[in-house]
Amino acid sequence: MSTPPPPYSVSERTVQFDEDYDIEIPAGIAPDAYYDTQLSPLRATLRRWLLPYIRSETPILHAMQLKVRHPVLDVYFTMTAFSGNHTFFMIALPVLFWFGFSEIARGFTLIAAMGVYWAGFFKDYLCLPRPLSPPIVRLSRSKSTCLEYGFPSSHSTNAISVALFLYCHLLTTDPASWSPYTRELSIFGLIVYAVSIVYGRLYCGMHSITDCIGGSLIGISIWAVQWTFRHTIEYYMVSPVWWVPLMVAAAGIFLVSIIPDPVDDCPCFDDCVAFIAVLMGLIPASIHFASTSYSSNYPVPATIPYSTDLGVIKSALRLVLGVGTLFVWRLFAKKALYVILPPVYKLFSLPYRPHFIPASTYNTLSTYPIGKMPSVIDLPSMTGNAEIVGLQSAMDVHEKFSQAAAQAKEQEGLAMGLRARKGQATHEEITMDEKAAEHSRESSVLSNTTTECGDHHHTKEGSRFEDEAEALLRVERMHPRKSRFDVDIVSKLVVYAGIGALAVDGIPILFALVGLSSSPIHI
């Protein structure tokens, strides 16, 4: 990754500085042109092609919300959304490994990692907004979700790829191993799961129809590749082929390095790095575990031994010990890296991404809080009001004013058309029509400033760009961004690679040493 240029060129646009919040705000440039100047020609062209579809669907989603919203559905769709996001998979995957489903868990991990990565890649590549709020009411138990771009829907990607993956596994299992109707009920459950997640994104106002279609297509593509080559992939994930760990490390670093720089401060990059790092740790560790005496080679190599004969108490202790070990690793590893990495970054002037704080601007992170819980089990809040109304991020502000600019341009065209018909109407009629058009402009999206930040309608005569800068500052005050440091990139790679390795190698060996493991099966 090369050192990125400054996000704004002072010679090209006016920069306003807020002393209280240390923010630079671009002013004096229309939002669409703002994105065009920040993106490559191809990215800008694709964004402009998709943007009208997304904008045109906002009234449709708003009308749907007015017709079908119900308190019970609000709870259902906000809760089921959790089972379609990356945090859920980071919790569920270690459990699958520890309770004897290693083959499914490896395929599941690959599916989830690729879904999170490619959905996040295209979010940052295209920088497309979510449906605008208001008029949309966003329903989410995690407010950080609103900080991400909209297209494609990562929930849809994950739900479709996982549902297809599990469906194919159901079809390939021996029917005699299922009790009557269990397979049919399982398939029905997968359908309900996929529909609930994808439609729930529309119901919750978090995505447009275009977002969900794009996410679903990515999910289908990931599933198709994984399922087609599943036997080859499984072989190389557990076989002692010397070049596989090197290839995995190189591919992981490459995938992280090509993630596009977003225009706004979108957190998708963090999730992409975390899942790629998990694969970088999991695959070499699986190969190593398969070669140890602690591993079962039935039904497949590198299976973590488990039997229901352990009982409920020992099974619960496995879970507590496993999660606790991940917690301790994350806590101490990140703390150590926050001490070691900043001087290294300063010494070598290592590159950093936009929206990340460079090491040259701070002395140490040794006292920076790590957090009480490890990220892999960091549940979003399940309490409080799920409704989120108003501008939540810089991308929301840009989209609001971009739509206002488009509407104002349309109204100006209408006014020009009215003037062109002067020969067909009286002067008084034209004057009245022009006043109506002017009134319509004034009551456009630009005038709709009721947000979660509070009612604020302060207009500077003759300039909408000052209003946009003020809106950006207001959103920043009400929704301060989490500090992200340049060393977070390497620290995430190390921490999450360690989590992947511990989950399939270190922790299973620990189970055996403390008497929480079944006897391994060797055939």
Side-chain angles (χ1 to χ4, degrees), residues 26 51 65 88 157 162 233 317 434 483 489-490 500:
L51 189 57
Q65 281 191 331
F88 170 78
T157 298
V162 166
I233 294 172
L317 287 175
E434 289 179 343
S483 296
I489 301 173
V490 174

Side-chain angles (χ1 to χ4, degrees), residues 279-391:
L279 289 179
M280 292 172 67
L282 183 145
I283 295 176
S286 295
I287 294 173
H288 173 264
F289 184 67
S291 66
T292 68
S293 60
Y294 301 101
S295 168
S296 295
N297 62 6
Y298 178 83
V300 294
T303 295
I304 299 173
Y306 174 75
S307 172
T308 55
D309 294 338
L310 285 175
V312 175
I313 295 178
K314 286 191 174 182
S315 297
L317 287 175
R318 281 169 71 99
L319 185 60
V320 172
L321 179 60
V323 171
T325 303
L326 295 181
F327 168 75
V328 172
W329 159 256
R330 190 257 184 183
L331 181 66
F332 283 96
K334 191 169 185 180
K335 197 72 175 179
L337 290 167
Y338 267 15
V339 173
I340 296 170
L341 290 178
V344 176
Y345 269 70
K346 281 185 178 180
L347 180 63
F348 295 101
S349 298
L350 297 178
Y352 61 95
R353 287 173 62 87
H355 311 295
F356 281 66
I357 302 172
S360 59
T361 63
Y362 58 86
N363 294 322
T364 181
L365 296 177
S366 59
T367 59
Y368 190 79
I370 301 299
K372 297 180 180 180
M373 297 294 289
S375 297
V376 292
I377 56 172
D378 188 17
L379 295 174
S381 174
M382 292 297 173
T383 61
N385 188 1
E387 289 192 3
I388 304 174
V389 181
L391 309 180

Side-chain angles (χ1 to χ4, degrees), residues 162-219:
V162 166
L164 288 171
F165 173 75
L166 295 178
Y167 170 74
C168 290
H169 267 288
L170 289 175
L171 293 185
T172 55
T173 56
D174 183 6
S177 63
W178 294 84
S179 59
Y181 305 113
T182 303
R183 177 183 290 194
E184 288 74 13
L185 288 174
S186 298
I187 293 174
F188 177 74
L190 290 175
I191 294 173
V192 171
Y193 165 75
V195 172
S196 296
I197 299 300
V198 177
Y199 175 72
R201 295 291 83 198
L202 304 177
Y203 178 93
C204 293
M206 299 302 293
H207 284 286
S208 67
I209 300 170
T210 301
D211 296 343
C212 292
I213 292 175
S216 298
L217 291 175
I218 293 174

Side-chain angles (χ1 to χ4, degrees), residues 126-164:
L126 297 170
C127 301
L128 285 162
R130 294 181 182 273
L132 191 60
S133 173
I136 293 295
V137 176
R138 294 173 180 170
L139 302 173
S140 177
R141 300 287 172 177
S142 175
K143 291 186 177 181
S144 62
T145 305
C146 297
L147 303 179
E148 298 180 359
Y149 291 115
F151 180 92
S153 165
S154 55
H155 276 75
S156 299
T157 298
N158 294 334
I160 295 300
S161 60
V162 166
L164 288 171

